[in-house]
Amino acid sequence: MKTMLVSSVRLSVSVAVMLGAACMPAAARQADTLAAQRPDTACAEATARKGLCMTLEKGGAVIIELYPDKAPKTVERIMKLAEEGFYDGLEFHRVESYLVQTGKGEHDLPPLEGEMFGQRIWHEEGMVGMARLPSDYDTATTQFYIMKERRPNLNGEYTLFGKVVGGMEHIHGLKKGGKIESLTICDIE
């Protein structure tokens, strides 16, 4: 058992060295737990960025980087819904010259508190935000939109929680009624 633990610690440190010095302290602290269970990912998990991988029914993949530091409650909700397959098969029910929007109006989820105040990110092409009722900042639930162009008049009015980092051409090509085949959580490189 002692030899196995030492091997796990060595492997954990090797992974940390390959990934960079910033991982070294985390790997060293967790060597007796994480490294023994999953030595190949002990440090990588600490540095991986989570995102969403959206496959469209008519073809095309869209990769969305998430911003948990800017909108933690929103990202948590979206990730939970993606894990449950909530968005699979849903239509983009709103397609405008400047955005596309999807989600459900009928559900049992409580509204989220708006996280837009103090955000220093802007409504530019590719930004992903939560839709809400115009009269109440705290009414976002499941509907989100993806910006197709810059709209500074929306800055500070809606919670932004991510950005398209791949496949924006598919968003520009969407027609009303276009469907999401699947929306899953993925690692962003």
Side-chain angles (χ1 to χ4, degrees):
M1 178 72 172
K2 187 175 182 181
T3 304
M4 191 170 156
L5 182 58
V6 170
S7 296
S8 293
V9 171
R10 284 185 187 141
L11 183 55
S12 176
V13 171
S14 296
V15 169
V17 169
M18 288 187 321
L19 291 173
C23 293
M24 185 72 82
R29 283 193 308 273
Q30 298 174 354
D32 59 353
T33 55
L34 284 178
Q37 296 169 16
R38 297 170 49 199
D40 58 330
T41 61
C43 190
E45 287 181 0
T47 59
R49 296 180 305 167
K50 292 295 179 191
L52 298 172
C53 294
M54 180 189 318
T55 304
L56 301 174
E57 188 178 76
K58 299 267 185 187
V62 178
I63 310 299
I64 300 169
E65 179 181 0
L66 296 173
Y67 296 158
D69 58 324
K70 306 286 186 195
K73 294 174 188 171
T74 302
V75 168
E76 181 181 1
R77 164 80 55 92
I78 294 293
M79 288 180 69
K80 181 177 185 294
L81 292 172
E83 283 177 345
E84 295 171 356
F86 181 89
Y87 294 100
D88 299 355
L90 288 187
E91 292 184 351
F92 282 91
H93 60 271
R94 182 177 178 198
V95 177
E96 307 281 346
S97 63
Y98 66 99
L99 64 70
V100 297
Q101 183 174 320
T102 190
K104 288 184 188 175
E106 294 183 24
H107 50 73
D108 297 328
L109 296 168
L112 290 167
E113 182 179 327
E115 297 179 285
M116 69 285 292
F117 304 110
Q119 285 190 329
R120 295 288 182 241
I121 48 180
W122 316 117
H123 281 80
E124 305 284 342
E125 180 186 34
M127 294 302 290
V128 184
M130 289 300 282
R132 62 169 177 78
L133 295 175
S135 60
D136 191 344
Y137 289 111
D138 300 331
T139 55
T141 54
T142 70
Q143 294 189 36
F144 69 87
Y145 59 87
I146 301 172
M147 297 301 297
K148 292 165 60 177
E149 65 182 41
R150 182 175 180 266
R151 284 290 171 111
N153 61 306
L154 300 177
N155 293 342
E157 294 294 316
Y158 296 87
T159 300
L160 294 171
F161 66 89
K163 182 174 185 172
V164 173
V165 293
M168 193 63 201
E169 66 275 13
H170 303 298
I171 297 302
H172 283 289
L174 274 171
K175 305 284 186 230
K176 186 173 182 176
K179 290 187 178 181
I180 298 172
E181 184 175 293
S182 67
L183 183 69
T184 59
I185 298 168
C186 59
D187 289 329
I188 305 286
E189 293 182 20

